[in-house]
Amino acid sequence: MGVGASVLSCCRGEFEESDNTGNEYQPLLGDRERQAVAALVKLFENDTRISFYDGEPLRALTVLARSDVHHLQLSAATAFSEISEYDVRAVPQEALAPVLYLLQSAYADVQQGAASALGNLASVSANKRLIVEMGGLELLVRQMLSPNTEAQINSVGCITNLAADEENKLAIARSGALIPLVRLGRSRDLRVQRNATGALLNMTHQAELREKLVAAGAVAVLVDLLHAKDEDTLYYAITALSNIAVDSDGRDALWSAQAKLVTELLHIMQVHKIKVQAQVALTLRNLASDARFQCAIVQNDGLDALLPLLQS
């Protein structure tokens, strides 16, 4: 289904009055809502290559987004989600405002569409900071706390993108996102787990935030993720542990899990691809800055595991 059909499918024929058979009335559209639907129909009939981030299309979608009618909200959320998959660029505040409004909808399917759109737009540097400035973080944290798996996938994926911006990292930590991210790292859904681990990795690039992650219980979760079957999740976990191991305080926290950590890293080195092996070697190097880990690596035959890499 194209974007035009997706936008209008929920609008046409859904809100007409019932006949006299005793069926209940569907919600009736207000004048502004009817005008917005009519404007979108006309726009799609004349040109399917429309920019929805400004002008009349954005005004019409904003009306739908702010409607009290579920189907109209869903139409707007679906449109923003699908459009942002192929038209990804810096957008003005006016274009983000209806998406953030939809994220507060009472309807789960509307929230999911809005979170998906926000995640797509958050891949653009200029949008990352604007989303945070407009209060998007608090809304995304609420979505992370939802029991709905799709809401968790989309919200964590968006926060992962936002956390790629250095200025956003501290704001994310202050928003209360770290504990939910750590918890979702244990999710049974592989997509949620992968996104959460990616977000945790992005947050390990600053020393201050590494301390906050350790305090939030991230070490135990990341060590457990060394058993992850998903290659990306495994790589993110290893890399995050490597970053934590840069600091002496981080190595102290990792020492509490050293028996499991060292043996699992050495096992991974022998059975995974070169990209993962290289990251394990880097993690072991950072851990070996501590004399305790030097002994643990040698005692677990780590030198024998590292030698083939030197010869490769």
Side-chain angles (χ1 to χ4, degrees), residues 57-76:
L58 177 60
R59 287 192 293 271
L61 280 180
T62 299
V63 171
L64 300 191
R66 293 185 176 276
S67 170
D68 292 330
V69 180
H70 175 208
H71 287 83
L72 293 188
Q73 291 184 19
L74 183 58
S75 292

Side-chain angles (χ1 to χ4, degrees), residues 163-182:
D165 182 272
E166 291 301 312
E167 291 190 13
N168 281 346
K169 294 185 193 308
L170 189 56
I172 291 171
R174 289 172 174 168
S175 72
L178 295 187
I179 290 178
L181 282 174
V182 169

